[in-house]
Amino acid sequence: MRRGPKKVNPAKPADGKKTRAEAIRIWDKVDVGKKGFVTVPEVLKQSKLLEHECPEFIRDYESVARDGRVTRNAFLDFCVGKATAEECKRDVDMKQLRRMFDEVAGPAGQIRVADLVKHKVRIQEVFPPLLEKFSEIDLNMTSTVSWAELEVFAGGTGEWLEYQLDQVIGLELLKQQIRQFHHSIVMDQKRRDTGHNVRTISKYHMIFQGNPGTGKTSLARIIAQLLHRIGIIKTDVLVEVQRDKLVAEYVGQTGPKTQKVIEQAKQGVLFIDEAYRLSQEGGKSDFGREAIEQLMAAMNDPPGKAPIMVFAGYADDMDNFMQANSGLYRRIGYTFDFSDYSCFELAEILKSIVTNAGFRLAPALIKNNLQATAALIEANTLQQAREMMNGGLCERLFDFAKQSLDAREAVVSASNPSLELTEGDLLEACRRIPPPPMREGRESSATSQASDQVARRLQRTEAKLRSAQSEIHRLQAQLRAVKAARSAWKSGDLDTRSRCSMEGCCHRVRKFFRFLWTACILCATLTLHKLYYVCCCQCVPKKEKFTTPIIRIHPADDSKPGPAPLSP
């Protein structure tokens, strides 16, 4: 009789606990529906298997179950043991980890993929997670790992959260709220570990209220990663939606459409931006209420079966939204307030945007902790624009300032353009920021509405005037640069390459002025035609009616040859 190779069973732990591979194999047979948890009916169906493989689990089921169910992690912790299941969270000698980092990274201060390959054995001895979770440790997504990132990963969730919050400019009160939120979740987990039946599963839903540009989406990503690290949700997926992704146009389509989004985000976080719009639209064809009811039904389910939901929007609109939907309000446990950025914080955000784009601010704008930049933003931008845009204002300022720099450098030094944004560039960018539009859904009296309309027109006119003045100054600077280059060209101070470049610039400037002159003539002509048309319309009496002439054809008469007479 042929005999196959002798099977070697893996060594079992000395304390009678099963290996992790055996525990996973048993769990896969018990959790047939792949739900991530089992209840009493599933245990009864697989009672013979459990009595043979893991009888201790049936005997101590009450101590393992939470809320009438046993999760996969709880089953593995029971079968394998806490020490083995949390092996990746073991204490790390930070001094030894620092010595290993210095050896691997070298003078560059960053661990690259080539360093991982070169020092694989050394890393495996000291800190194997660096090889297994390199992408997770790389917080900045640069494909390299710094000591700060490695220290955060080895330190735990608290250190990781502090590192993430340090990257956010301003919002100190909000950061303190997030720290309290993290501390509360950690305390509840410790209470459950000690055997207390704490029921806060459905209280993780939250409200983000504040003006646009205050970082609500960025903080939502941090919250999703935080909940994943703590173990509340299985993935750190963040699904961002608005009203149009939840509400359909016809009867019977909104519920399935909303449920599809819920299923898509059930393992992570569902971020609903401008959530108040779900109840603002009126009319018979509005199905926002149906979407709200579908969301409320899912909010009662635990994480994993339904997502943790974040409702975001303006503070006053969200208050009205929650007052009109008391069922939502009862299901939400946390409210985070996003305050507007100050001018100094806007200056810091602008500097960060400029630096990340590869440019730099002039030294006069950086000194004294960006005091000149903050004063310039405060004096040359509208308060309404700062409140409505916040961080988005800095992105617009950088775009306009770069356009001013490009226009100036195209004539002055086309061969070697500068990367430095001056005070003049930033001043012109501030002048080009348009006034903010009227917020949607706002009701006001006829008098206030008319005054707001006049004020907005005045603001737009002033913005256009400032933009025109900036354009005139820019053209004058280009003209002076062209004249200076032309005089240098005649004197022979420029080389052949610079002469060719300057000749092209002169041609472009002459062509631009020719186009500008033609546009002015065309605008003047259209204006005169419009005035003539208005005057003609005013001269015509309002009650005078023009009648269309009626053509009547008479039968031909031989005695009177010729065409038939016309009568009006």
Side-chain angles (χ1 to χ4, degrees):
M1 181 178 65
R2 294 185 59 184
R3 294 183 178 180
K6 184 179 180 180
K7 295 182 179 181
V8 180
N9 296 326
K12 295 184 178 182
D15 56 357
K17 294 289 184 178
K18 297 184 178 297
T19 63
R20 188 173 184 83
E22 291 177 334
I24 292 176
R25 178 181 57 82
I26 298 173
W27 174 261
D28 292 339
K29 293 181 179 180
V30 176
D31 186 16
V32 180
K34 305 300 180 184
K35 297 182 296 183
F37 63 90
V38 294
T39 56
V40 174
E42 286 85 356
V43 173
L44 294 178
K45 289 181 181 179
Q46 304 294 335
S47 58
K48 292 184 178 180
L49 172 67
L50 292 174
E51 287 177 353
H52 177 69
E53 298 285 351
C54 189
E56 299 86 359
F57 174 70
I58 297 179
R59 185 176 62 249
D60 299 333
Y61 178 84
E62 295 80 7
S63 62
V64 183
R66 290 289 183 272
D67 299 326
R69 62 183 65 182
V70 176
T71 62
R72 181 177 185 272
N73 291 335
F75 180 81
L76 296 180
D77 290 344
F78 177 82
C79 294
V80 180
K82 279 282 185 179
T84 307
E86 298 182 355
E87 186 177 1
C88 59
K89 298 182 181 179
R90 63 174 182 264
D91 295 333
V92 179
D93 187 352
M94 299 304 295
K95 293 182 179 180
Q96 185 179 8
L97 184 64
R98 179 65 191 190
R99 287 195 297 268
M100 182 214 67
F101 178 84
D102 294 336
E103 295 175 5
V104 175
Q110 300 282 340
I111 296 180
R112 302 174 295 115
V113 176
D115 299 327
L116 296 179
V117 176
K118 183 178 179 180
H119 302 277
K120 184 177 180 180
V121 177
R122 174 63 173 163
I123 297 174
Q124 190 70 35
E125 294 175 355
V126 179
F127 195 66
L130 180 59
L131 300 173
E132 303 167 358
K133 301 182 179 181
F134 184 82
S135 300
E136 184 177 347
I137 300 174
D138 180 19
L139 299 176
N140 293 332
M141 305 300 291
T142 58
S143 299
T144 60
V145 172
S146 63
W147 167 247
E149 294 171 332
L150 185 60
E151 186 180 20
V152 166
F153 182 84
T157 305
E159 287 76 5
W160 173 87
L161 180 60
E162 291 300 326
Y163 177 85
Q164 295 291 341
L165 295 180
D166 288 341
Q167 309 302 313
V168 179
I169 297 175
L171 304 177
E172 296 301 328
L173 294 178
L174 175 66
K175 293 178 181 178
Q176 187 60 29
Q177 286 181 307
I178 294 178
R179 294 187 183 98
Q180 294 176 357
F181 170 73
H182 171 239
H183 182 71
S184 176
I185 294 178
V186 171
M187 291 297 101
D188 288 342
Q189 286 183 334
K190 291 182 178 179
R191 294 184 181 102
R192 294 190 189 95
D193 293 339
T194 56
H196 298 285
N197 188 14
V198 179
R199 299 176 180 270
T200 57
I201 294 178
S202 61
K203 296 298 183 180
Y204 295 131
H205 308 294
M206 57 195 74
I207 297 174
F208 284 6
Q209 55 185 20
N211 288 329
T214 50
K216 292 189 289 292
T217 305
S218 300
L219 265 297
R221 295 191 182 97
I222 295 178
I223 290 293
Q225 296 175 11
L226 175 64
L227 294 174
H228 173 59
R229 284 176 170 269
I230 295 175
I232 303 299
I233 56 180
K234 294 183 179 180
T235 65
D236 58 354
V237 173
L238 179 71
V239 178
E240 306 175 34
V241 296
Q242 290 188 355
R243 174 188 167 87
D244 59 335
K245 298 294 184 182
L246 300 174
V247 180
E249 299 180 359
Y250 302 101
V251 178
Q253 294 182 350
T254 297
K257 187 175 183 179
T258 304
Q259 186 62 34
K260 183 179 179 180
V261 175
I262 294 174
E263 292 294 329
Q264 180 183 356
K266 69 178 182 180
Q267 302 293 338
V269 175
L270 177 60
F271 182 78
I272 306 172
D273 196 12
E274 298 181 354
Y276 54 87
R277 293 178 56 208
L278 292 174
S279 61
Q280 273 190 349
E281 300 292 337
K284 297 182 179 179
S285 61
D286 176 48
F287 305 109
R289 169 61 57 181
E290 184 178 354
I292 294 174
E293 293 176 355
Q294 194 76 20
L295 293 173
M296 285 193 299
M299 292 172 71
N300 295 325
D301 297 329
K305 190 175 181 181
I308 292 177
M309 301 183 191
V310 178
F311 299 87
Y314 294 100
D316 47 358
D317 287 327
M318 293 304 296
D319 288 340
N320 298 332
F321 176 63
M322 289 300 159
Q323 290 176 5
N325 302 277
S326 58
L328 273 178
Y329 183 78
R330 292 194 301 268
R331 292 168 171 82
I332 295 177
Y334 298 91
T335 300
F336 296 99
D337 299 313
F338 290 73
S339 59
D340 295 327
Y341 289 113
S342 65
C343 292
F344 281 98
E345 291 170 346
L346 291 176
E348 293 180 3
I349 296 174
L350 177 61
K351 180 185 176 183
S352 176
I353 293 175
V354 171
T355 304
N356 293 335
F359 292 80
R360 62 178 179 273
L361 295 175
L365 297 173
I366 300 177
K367 64 180 182 180
N368 296 330
N369 194 20
L370 299 171
Q371 185 175 0
T373 305
L376 191 147
I377 293 175
E378 183 177 8
N380 296 277
T381 57
L382 298 174
Q383 181 180 359
Q384 296 88 343
R386 295 195 296 269
E387 292 176 353
M388 291 292 294
M389 300 177 70
N390 284 286
L393 176 67
C394 299
E395 297 178 355
R396 297 287 296 275
L397 288 177
F398 170 69
D399 293 337
F400 290 147
K402 181 179 177 298
Q403 293 175 13
S404 175
L405 173 64
D406 295 341
R408 186 178 69 254
E409 293 296 320
V411 177
V412 178
S413 56
S415 60
N416 187 20
S418 174
L419 298 173
E420 184 175 283
L421 300 176
T422 63
E423 183 177 356
D425 298 329
L426 190 56
L427 181 61
E428 181 178 353
C430 292
R431 289 172 177 172
R432 293 181 60 184
I433 296 295
M438 186 70 176
R439 283 178 56 185
E440 297 180 359
R442 289 300 178 194
E443 297 181 357
S444 58
S445 62
T447 305
S448 61
Q449 187 174 3
S451 61
D452 292 341
Q453 186 177 5
V454 173
R456 290 196 301 273
R457 289 182 178 179
L458 180 59
Q459 292 174 355
R460 292 191 183 96
T461 304
E462 291 176 350
K464 291 180 180 179
L465 179 60
R466 290 194 297 266
S467 180
Q469 290 175 349
S470 300
E471 185 69 14
I472 291 173
H473 293 324
R474 186 180 65 83
L475 292 175
Q476 289 177 349
Q478 284 189 355
L479 184 59
R480 288 193 297 267
V482 169
K483 289 181 178 179
R486 185 178 181 181
S487 61
W489 186 9
K490 291 181 178 180
S491 62
D493 295 338
L494 296 179
D495 54 4
T496 304
R497 181 179 180 182
S498 299
R499 289 186 181 185
C500 295
S501 177
M502 199 56 59
E503 183 179 359
C505 292
C506 294
H507 176 69
R508 288 194 298 269
V509 172
R510 286 196 300 269
K511 185 177 180 180
F512 174 78
F513 275 106
R514 194 180 302 114
F515 168 76
L516 185 62
W517 176 253
T518 305
C520 291
I521 295 176
L522 181 60
C523 292
T525 305
L526 293 176
T527 304
L528 291 177
H529 278 288
K530 185 177 181 180
L531 291 175
Y532 176 75
Y533 174 75
V534 172
C535 293
C536 291
C537 292
Q538 292 179 353
C539 292
V540 176
K542 295 182 179 180
K543 296 184 179 180
E544 183 178 355
K545 296 182 179 180
F546 295 93
T547 57
T548 305
I550 301 174
I551 301 176
R552 296 178 180 176
I553 302 176
H554 297 273
D557 191 357
D558 297 337
S559 61
K560 295 180 182 181
L566 302 178
S567 60

